[in-house]
Amino acid sequence: MKMAENNDQETSGATAAVMRIRTVKPQQEPPERPSVLNPNAAPVLVKLAPPFSVRACQFLWVVSFVLAGLAIIYFFVVREDQLPLIVETIRDVNSERTTETYQRAADIIYWSAFAAMIGLLLIQITLLVSFTNRKPGVRWWQFITLLGQALLFGLGRELIAAGDHGEHLRQLLAGQLVAVTLALLVSNLRGAVAWSVRRHDVRKGLGWSGGADA
């Protein structure tokens, strides 16, 4: 009887164990969360650093501005020394006028050149801002200012840059001319041109998957 009872207990225990195994559900992984990124979102404007060629171009323009500013200041400081030399240059062309006429002509030439130097500098600064903002056609306008600068340099050598002080002025104007020429050449490199043509830096837009109302 005891053996039968023990067998019944063992059978009952095994059956209960099997039932517990059957009732245990396998562990399920949590479902994946829905993506919050919307691949169809509009592009987003970003601020990327310009390529090296653009930064080099901007640096050369800044160098030309510094040289132009130094030339303007120097030209103003040596005004009293340069006016008699300008008078002599005019007198060599035509010696039949009065002294007052030569002095008035020298003043007109000096202040015209002075105003042209300042105006050219302001125009080039404005064009550099437009170039940095990637406005179309800016390079052509910058090239026109280069031609004007070359004309000013040529006239300056003949009229306003005489004597020892004139030599220093010619060096400043020549340095500005070289810096502007190099800046225009660098701005036409492939990386700088592609940067300008692109107009804006964009990346793929990221948004809620539910759309604008989410």
Side-chain angles (χ1 to χ4, degrees):
M1 292 293 293
K2 290 183 180 181
M3 292 180 62
E5 290 178 358
N6 291 335
N7 290 336
D8 291 340
Q9 292 177 355
E10 292 177 359
T11 302
S12 300
T15 302
V18 172
M19 293 299 294
R20 284 197 300 271
I21 293 175
R22 290 180 178 178
T23 55
V24 173
K25 295 182 179 179
Q27 186 177 2
Q28 296 180 353
E29 296 182 358
E32 295 184 0
R33 292 183 178 182
S35 176
V36 297
L37 304 181
N38 184 5
N40 298 321
V44 179
L45 294 177
V46 294
K47 186 67 175 180
L48 299 179
F52 173 77
S53 56
V54 174
R55 295 196 299 271
C57 173
Q58 293 170 337
F59 173 76
L60 290 170
W61 275 110
V62 172
V63 171
S64 74
F65 297 158
V66 172
L67 293 175
L70 292 176
I72 292 170
I73 295 173
Y74 185 77
F75 190 41
F76 182 79
V77 170
V78 300
R79 174 177 176 271
E80 296 298 330
D81 295 327
Q82 291 303 110
L83 283 176
L85 298 176
I86 297 175
V87 169
E88 292 300 323
T89 302
I90 300 173
R91 193 188 302 273
D92 292 339
V93 176
N94 186 353
S95 59
E96 298 178 355
R97 304 293 180 178
T98 62
T99 302
E100 290 98 3
T101 301
Y102 293 129
Q103 290 176 348
R104 286 197 299 270
D107 284 334
I108 292 173
I109 291 174
Y110 173 86
W111 289 114
S112 298
F114 188 77
M117 293 168 64
I118 294 177
L120 192 62
L121 175 61
L122 295 178
I123 292 173
Q124 288 179 336
I125 292 175
T126 303
L127 291 176
L128 179 60
V129 174
S130 298
F131 173 79
T132 303
N133 293 329
R134 294 188 260 194
K135 301 294 184 182
V138 175
R139 290 176 178 82
W140 288 108
W141 292 105
Q142 290 176 326
F143 178 72
I144 292 175
T145 63
L146 175 62
L147 297 180
Q149 190 173 335
L151 179 62
L152 179 63
F153 176 75
L155 294 176
R157 291 186 59 183
E158 300 295 331
L159 295 176
I160 62 175
D164 295 335
H165 296 306
E167 178 63 26
H168 299 306
L169 181 62
R170 287 195 298 270
Q171 291 176 357
L172 291 172
L173 293 176
Q176 182 190 6
L177 189 62
V178 171
V180 171
T181 302
L182 292 176
L184 284 175
L185 291 176
V186 173
S187 70
N188 284 278
L189 294 178
R190 183 171 60 181
V193 172
W195 176 82
S196 298
V197 171
R198 193 165 60 245
R199 298 292 300 277
H200 300 288
D201 297 318
V202 298
R203 64 175 171 83
K204 190 175 181 180
L206 302 178
W208 296 101
S209 59
D213 297 333

